[in-house]
Amino acid sequence: MTNNELNPDAGFIELIKNIGGDSFDNSFKKCFQCGTCSVVCPLTHDEKPFPRKEMILTGWGLKDKLVGSLDPWLCYYCGKCSENCPRKANPAELMMSLRRWLITVYDWTGISKLLYKSKLAEFVFLFIIAIVVFFEWILLFGLFPNSGNGSLNQIIPPDKIDLFFDWPMTAILSILLISFIFNMYYKTILSDKNLKIPIKLYISELWALIFNFFTQYKYSKCENDPEPFLKKLFSGKYNYWLIHWFLMTSYVSLFVAIVFFLYWFQTDYTSDLHVFLYDYYASIGLLGGLIYFTIRRIVKKVERSKFSHHTDWTFIILLFLTALTGVILRIVIVYKVPIPWIFYLYLIHMMILMPMLIVEVPFSKWSHLAYRPVAVYLSNLRDKANLQDRDRAE
Amino acid sequence: MDGSNEKKPVLIIGGGFSGVSAAIEIMESSEKSVVIVEKNPYIGGRVLQMYKYFPKLCPPFCGFEINLRRIKLNEYGRIRFITSSEIEDIRKEDGSYKVKVRRKPQYINDNCTICGDCVDACPETRLNDFNYDMDSQKAIYLPNFFAYPAKYVIDDEACKLISCKKCMTVCRYDAINLEAKEEFYNLDVESVILATGWRPYDANNLTKLGFGRYKNVITNVMMERLSADSGPTGGEIIRPSDNKTVNRIAFVQCAGSRDENHLPYCSSICCMASLKQALYVREKNPDSEASIFYIDLRTPGKYEKFLNRASSDEKIKLIKGKVANITEESSSGDLILEVEDMLSSKKVKFKAEMVVLATGMVPNAPSNLKTGSLKLSFDENGFLFFQDGNEGIFSAGVAKNPMDVNQSIQSATAGALSVLQYSFNKRGQNG
C-alpha cells in the first residue's frame, strides 16, 4: 500500500460519532475546511496543523492516517476551535473523541474497545473485579474481624495487602500499560519507515517527558491571550491547569506511597511530612479537585466540560469514592475507632479501589496520565529528527 | 366593492434600485400609479455608494441615470416619491391597504437650487454616513453628488436650527424653513412591494478581525467609497491611519458570513466584489499587490469569466484559507493576518498594509421596518422569501434574498408583474 492510497472506512465515522458528544452528529458534514480551528489553536504546530486536518480525515473515514497520529494527544481541549468554528462543527470534541478512540487502538487486548462501546460492559467488568476482591479478602482475613485480640496490623497485615493486592495489581497493570505505550510508539514512530530518530535524541529529549509529566505545562499555554502571567493567574485563567495539576500530584504521591510504604498508613504514628503530604495535601487535592471537575461537567459552561462520555463519569466517580473511603479509613485509623469499623471500611475501600485501578489505568481515561507526556515526548522527537534531516539535506 | 381599487396606487417601500426599477416597470406597462416611500433623503439607495459595478466595471450612476430619465419622461405624474420617510402603520381594510407614513421635518423646500451658499455659512458638522463615517460634512449638506430630489438636507441632530439661522440669512431663494415639523401622510393602496434592501453586517462584531480596533481594517462597502471619485479621498486608495498609498492589500472573504456565530448564510456577492476591488486597486496602482483569502470562491455562471480575468493578473493572489485572526504591528500600522493555507497545509502569517473585510448583507426588514398589522413571512435570517401573493404583498431585491444589482432588477421586474397580475385578478373578481 502506498502512502497516497485512500481507504475510507464508513464504520470508523460511525464509531467516532458514537464515542463523541451528542451535538456531534453532523459535524463532519458541517465542516467546510476553512481552517479557523487551526489558526485559533494555541498549541498546534505551523506545519500540518490540527484540528482542521483531523476533521477531514475523520469525515472521510481515513482511519489509517489517524492511527499513527500523535496530534490528538497534543490537544488539551481549551475549546477555542469549537467556540470560533463558523459551522459549529465542534473540532475540540472530535480531538477528545480521537483520544478516546486511540486508547482503544493502543490496547491490543480489546477490553477498552468494549468499555468505550458499552456502559453495561463497563459496569459488569467493574462488578466482577469487586466480587473477586471480596472473596480474596474473605480467604485472607475472614468475613468477621477477630476483634478480641490484636491491633489492626495483626488482623490486616500490610505485607499481606501488598503481596495479594497491591503488588500483583501494580505489576500486571504496569506490564499492560507499558505494552500499550510500546504499541503507541510502534504505531506512531516505528511504523514510519522514513523516520530515523538518533539514540542521542531519545536521551536528550527525556527531560521533556519528565517536565511535561510533572508540570502539565501545556495546559497553561491554552490561555494565549497577551496578558502577563500574574494577571492570568489572579483572574482564574489558570485554575483548570492548577487544579488538574494539584489532583494529579495528589494522586501520584498517594499511589506511590501506598504501593511501597503501606505501613505508613496503617498506623496512627505519623511524621510531619506524612501528615502534610498525605493527610492534607493529597486528601484535599483528590477530593477538592474531583468536586471541581464534577461541578464543571454538570454546569457545562466551557467547551471542555460540555460533553461527558460514560467513561469520563465512571473515572471521576470511582476515583472520588476511592479517595473518600480512603480518607475516612485514614481518619478512623488515626482516631482508633473500634476494629470492626475499620475492617469493613477497609474492605469497601478495596472493593472500589481495585476495580477503579484495574479498569481505568490501562483501559480507560486514567491512561492519559501516561499517554499524554509520552506523546508530547515522541512528537518532540519526531519534529527534531525531521528538522535535523532537513538541515542535513540543505 | 366599487372596483375603485384598480385606481388605487401601488406602494413601494424602499427607493433603492429594486424599488425604483419596480416602479418604472409598473408605470410603463400599465396605467397604475406608484408611491415610493424612502427612508433616505434621496432615492437610489446602496448602488449610489458603489464605485463600479461588476462584471463590467462601469459606474453605477450610469444605469441609475437611465432610470431617472425614464421617471422624468413619464408625463402623467403617476410616480410619487416620499423621501426621508418611514412607514408608521399598514392595515388591511376593505380589500385595500391603509398606510400611514411619517416624514421627517422638511427644512428645505423645492426652491433650493443647490447653489451651496448655505454650506459655506453653516458652522456645524456631522459624520458623512454616505461615506460610512470616514469623513465629515456640514450639518446642511447635499446627500450625494447625484441626489434626487436635488436639494440640500439638514441633519437636525447636528444643526442648532432656529437658534443659529446662519443658513437662512444667506439663502437667496427662501428655500429654508428651520421651524418645519414632522408630517404624516395617509395613503390608500391596492398592493405593496417591499424593496427594503439591506445594510452591511456590523463588522464591530468580528472581534478577532480587529475592525474598530485597527484603523487600517475596513469593510468592502467602505472600500467602494475609498475608491470613488466622490469619496473621502477623491478616489485615491490610501489607508486611514497615515494616508499612505496602499501597495499590499488583503481581502478577507466570508468576514462574518457563512458563520453560525454571525450571518449563517452566504451573501453571494462578496467574492465578486472583492475580485472587482482587487482589480481596481491594481488599476489605480500598478505597483500594488492584492491577496484574496477565501474558503471557496463563488463566481457562478458567466461570472467565472470575471474570476479568470482577475486571476490572470499575476499580482492578484488567491489564497485558499479563512483568515481567523488579525493583529496590528503597532510601529508601522501594518496588519498580520493568520490563516491556514489549505493547499500547503501550513499556518501562515501574512503581512498587509490594509485589510478589506468582505462583510455580507443583512436584510433591513424586519428590524428596521414598522408594518403595523401587516402579516409578513420571514425566513430564519430575516429575508422576505415567501409571500402570499393572494394578499397583494410582494417583495423585490435583497429584501427577498441576497443578490447583486443585476438580479435585483430581475426580481423588481418580477415584482412588478406580480402586482399587475394581482390587480388584474382582483378586477376580474369584482367585475
Side-chain angles (χ1 to χ4, degrees):
Chain A
M1 189 186 83
T2 65
N3 213 20
N4 293 326
E5 210 169 289
L6 299 181
N7 295 304
D9 179 348
F12 177 65
I13 307 171
E14 284 305 305
L15 181 81
I16 296 297
K17 270 186 197 169
N18 293 333
I19 226 170
D22 307 330
S23 62
F24 205 40
D25 255 13
N26 293 313
S27 297
F28 309 124
K29 287 180 193 160
K30 283 183 194 160
C31 172
F32 56 29
Q33 292 285 303
C34 68
T36 299
C37 46
S38 300
V39 173
V40 297
C41 177
L43 289 172
T44 191
H45 20 241
D46 286 349
E47 301 218 354
K48 297 197 176 163
F50 59 83
R52 198 266 309 167
K53 149 179 111 268
E54 279 69 17
M55 283 304 292
I56 196 163
L57 291 178
T58 313
W60 285 3
L62 300 179
K63 191 173 155 186
D64 301 347
K65 307 227 177 237
L66 287 162
V67 165
S69 174
L70 288 166
D71 287 354
W73 296 108
L74 305 185
C75 159
Y76 279 65
Y77 212 149
C78 69
K80 290 201 165 63
C81 50
S82 287
E83 279 162 27
N84 288 289
C85 175
R87 306 295 302 160
K88 294 208 189 305
N90 214 345
E93 184 56 27
L94 170 72
M95 295 304 272
M96 186 68 229
S97 307
L98 288 177
R99 287 192 287 279
R100 293 189 189 110
W101 168 69
L102 284 175
I103 289 175
T104 72
V105 167
Y106 305 147
D107 166 18
W108 46 264
T109 65
I111 292 174
S112 56
K113 205 167 281 172
L114 209 62
L115 298 183
Y116 274 96
K117 207 187 241 171
S118 150
K119 216 184 278 186
L120 186 67
E122 195 178 24
F123 291 153
V124 170
F125 198 52
L126 288 166
F127 188 69
I128 290 171
I129 300 164
I131 295 294
V132 170
V133 169
F134 179 72
F135 283 110
E136 208 180 332
W137 179 278
I138 289 175
L139 280 176
L140 287 168
F141 311 116
L143 191 54
F144 304 103
N146 200 346
S147 59
N149 51 19
S151 66
L152 173 65
N153 283 334
Q154 282 166 327
I155 294 165
I156 307 165
D159 51 338
K160 269 198 177 170
I161 296 276
D162 280 340
L163 216 59
F164 291 95
F165 292 100
D166 290 4
W167 293 349
M169 174 206 65
T170 308
I172 294 169
L173 295 191
S174 304
I175 291 166
L176 279 173
L177 193 62
I178 288 168
S179 75
F180 296 167
I181 290 171
F182 183 81
N183 202 4
M184 172 194 208
Y185 173 60
Y186 174 79
K187 285 188 155 58
T188 56
I189 303 288
L190 285 186
S191 60
D192 186 350
K193 295 276 177 286
N194 299 321
L195 187 64
K196 294 270 179 291
I197 299 175
I199 303 287
K200 232 170 81 185
L201 260 183
Y202 279 103
I203 298 161
S204 64
E205 284 301 304
L206 214 56
W207 70 269
L209 179 67
I210 296 161
F211 180 76
N212 277 301
F213 180 83
F214 283 106
T215 62
Q216 307 188 331
Y217 178 64
K218 288 210 169 215
Y219 262 128
S220 71
K221 292 198 165 177
C222 282
E223 297 301 331
N224 65 339
D225 306 328
E227 282 174 4
F229 182 88
L230 284 178
K231 195 177 173 197
K232 284 190 208 170
L233 186 70
F234 290 123
S235 61
K237 285 185 174 168
Y238 288 138
N239 283 2
Y240 190 92
W241 169 42
L242 295 175
I243 293 172
H244 190 271
W245 180 82
F246 188 19
L247 175 63
M248 186 276 294
T249 47
S250 301
Y251 170 83
V252 170
S253 57
L254 255 182
F255 183 86
V256 172
I258 286 177
V259 169
F260 296 105
F261 309 102
L262 186 61
Y263 59 90
W264 284 359
F265 296 87
Q266 291 215 12
T267 165
D268 59 350
Y269 165 77
T270 47
S271 69
D272 288 345
L273 178 76
H274 185 286
V275 171
F276 171 74
L277 192 59
Y278 304 113
D279 290 356
Y280 289 103
Y281 182 90
S283 303
I284 294 169
L286 273 175
L287 292 176
L290 287 163
I291 290 170
Y292 173 77
F293 291 120
T294 306
I295 291 171
R296 284 170 62 108
R297 281 185 186 271
I298 291 170
V299 176
K300 297 176 195 254
K301 228 167 69 189
V302 293
E303 290 294 336
R304 61 158 67 104
S305 310
K306 274 188 185 155
F307 174 76
S308 304
H309 191 252
H310 66 85
T311 53
D312 298 333
W313 279 123
T314 318
F315 182 48
I316 290 186
I317 292 167
L318 285 181
L319 192 57
F320 182 76
L321 290 178
T322 306
L324 188 68
T325 53
V327 168
I328 295 173
L329 185 59
R330 177 73 196 142
I331 291 171
V332 299
I333 289 173
V334 171
Y335 289 97
K336 300 205 177 76
V337 171
I339 290 290
W341 284 86
I342 302 177
F343 184 86
Y344 291 116
L345 246 170
Y346 209 140
L347 173 60
I348 292 170
H349 178 59
M350 292 301 279
M351 283 175 69
I352 298 169
L353 170 85
M354 296 296 284
M356 188 279 288
L357 287 175
I358 292 172
V359 168
E360 295 296 334
V361 172
F363 305 118
S364 195
K365 193 173 173 69
W366 185 100
S367 58
H368 74 278
L369 183 66
Y371 293 148
R372 257 199 204 286
V374 172
V376 172
Y377 171 64
L378 294 179
S379 157
N380 259 4
L381 289 183
R382 178 150 73 183
D383 291 352
K384 295 228 162 126
N386 282 334
L387 211 67
Q388 285 180 3
D389 259 13
R390 203 180 302 170
D391 287 349
R392 218 167 296 138
E394 279 164 12
Chain B
M1 294 274 177
D2 53 5
S4 63
N5 265 346
E6 64 186 275
K7 300 214 170 57
K8 287 180 180 169
V10 179
L11 170 68
I12 296 179
I13 307 175
F17 212 117
S18 299
V20 171
S21 299
I24 294 168
E25 301 281 19
I26 292 168
M27 250 168 28
E28 288 180 353
S29 48
S30 76
E31 290 180 350
K32 295 195 81 63
S33 56
V34 186
V35 183
I36 292 183
V37 174
E38 168 57 47
K39 185 173 57 184
N40 285 326
Y42 57 93
I43 60 164
R46 294 278 168 196
V47 291
L48 292 186
Q49 287 168 288
M50 302 298 161
Y51 169 49
K52 281 177 179 177
Y53 280 160
F54 59 77
K56 286 186 186 164
L57 295 186
C58 52
F61 40 82
C62 168
F64 192 67
E65 190 175 17
I66 296 170
N67 271 351
L68 288 186
R69 287 183 71 84
R70 282 163 82 186
I71 290 167
K72 285 170 189 161
L73 274 175
N74 146 54
E75 50 198 296
Y76 308 106
R78 282 188 288 129
I79 188 162
R80 181 179 167 202
F81 296 101
I82 312 180
T83 51
S84 304
S85 303
E86 287 184 81
I87 301 294
E88 189 71 8
D89 187 27
I90 301 182
R91 261 173 307 112
K92 190 164 189 180
E93 245 172 53
D94 302 330
S96 71
Y97 291 96
K98 307 282 183 284
V99 185
K100 196 174 180 190
V101 179
R102 175 201 289 267
R103 191 175 203 197
K104 282 185 192 162
Q106 295 298 297
Y107 301 107
I108 298 180
N109 62 35
D110 290 346
N111 292 348
C112 177
T113 63
I114 45 176
C115 67
D117 289 351
C118 52
V119 175
D120 297 333
C122 180
E124 304 296 333
T125 56
R126 73 190 286 274
L127 283 174
N128 187 347
D129 54 348
F130 191 79
N131 286 343
Y132 297 99
D133 297 349
M134 283 189 287
D135 60 351
S136 50
Q137 60 190 164
K138 289 290 174 65
I140 185 163
Y141 63 99
L142 194 61
N144 62 71
F145 81 106
F146 219 76
Y148 179 89
K151 58 180 182 181
Y152 277 81
V153 179
I154 287 177
D155 179 354
D156 52 13
E157 277 170 26
C159 174
K160 298 269 188 299
L161 297 178
I162 206 74
S163 59
C164 167
K165 280 208 290 199
K166 289 205 171 76
C167 52
M168 250 169 114
T169 35
V170 294
C171 182
R172 284 169 286 160
Y173 303 96
D174 200 15
I176 304 175
N177 169 21
L178 291 172
E179 283 168 342
K181 293 276 166 304
E182 208 171 54
E183 296 161 58
F184 290 92
Y185 296 84
N186 288 307
L187 306 171
D188 187 4
V189 300
E190 184 189 55
S191 54
V192 180
I193 295 181
L194 294 135
T196 44
W198 60 282
R199 60 182 187 277
Y201 182 67
D202 184 0
N204 286 303
N205 297 339
L206 307 167
T207 47
K208 288 230 162 219
L209 301 182
F211 182 83
R213 216 160 0 120
Y214 310 137
K215 276 187 170 177
N216 295 331
V217 177
I218 65 169
T219 64
N220 47 3
V221 284
M222 290 163 84
M223 183 64 186
E224 290 296 320
R225 296 312 302 147
L226 201 58
S227 313
D229 302 326
S230 61
T233 59
E236 246 188 293
I237 300 179
I238 50 179
R239 64 181 194 176
S241 76
D242 51 11
N243 290 343
K244 212 174 88 179
T245 307
V246 179
N247 283 324
R248 203 169 149 82
I249 190 167
F251 294 88
V252 175
Q253 297 309 109
C254 295
S257 290
R258 300 163 77 196
D259 189 332
E260 298 283 338
N261 305 314
H262 301 282
L263 296 182
Y265 53 88
C266 167
S267 286
S268 83
I269 53 115
C270 327
C271 284
M272 287 297 285
S274 290
L275 289 167
K276 166 189 79 175
Q277 290 174 351
L279 278 170
Y280 55 67
V281 167
R282 292 278 301 120
E283 188 184 277
K284 286 185 179 225
N285 177 3
D287 295 330
S288 62
E289 195 179 286
S291 303
I292 301 178
F293 293 90
Y294 65 95
I295 303 171
D296 36 48
L297 282 170
R298 296 190 164 177
T299 54
K302 62 178 182 179
Y303 289 152
E304 179 115 10
K305 272 189 184 166
F306 192 73
L307 170 63
N308 293 341
R309 179 176 162 192
S311 61
S312 64
D313 183 334
E314 273 181 4
K315 288 192 165 179
I316 294 180
K317 302 228 160 68
L318 306 173
I319 301 157
K320 186 169 168 65
K322 185 177 173 172
V323 175
N325 201 28
I326 295 178
T327 46
E328 189 185 50
E329 202 181 71
S330 53
S331 55
S332 62
D334 289 350
L335 301 150
I336 312 290
L337 289 75
E338 284 181 74
V339 62
E340 185 191 350
D341 177 7
M342 288 301 138
L343 301 186
S344 67
S345 197
K346 274 182 190 158
K347 243 168 119 166
V348 184
K349 285 193 172 156
F350 184 89
K351 201 168 164 179
E353 291 170 352
M354 189 167 83
V355 171
V356 178
L357 304 180
T359 49
M361 301 194 280
V362 184
N364 274 324
S367 57
N368 289 5
L369 179 67
K370 285 185 225 161
T371 50
S373 55
L374 190 65
K375 261 190 244 148
L376 298 170
S377 53
F378 295 97
D379 71 7
E380 70 270 25
N381 299 317
F383 291 103
L384 288 149
F385 199 65
F386 299 107
Q387 298 310 318
D388 182 1
N390 296 325
E391 291 290 313
I393 304 292
F394 306 96
S395 55
V398 181
K400 221 169 162 169
N401 58 288
M403 58 178 83
D404 60 21
V405 181
N406 188 5
Q407 288 168 311
S408 294
I409 297 166
Q410 289 170 17
S411 89
T413 309
L417 184 60
S418 298
V419 159
L420 297 180
Q421 280 168 337
Y422 173 77
S423 180
F424 183 79
N425 288 342
K426 227 172 155 74
R427 208 176 328 172
Q429 281 164 16
N430 295 335

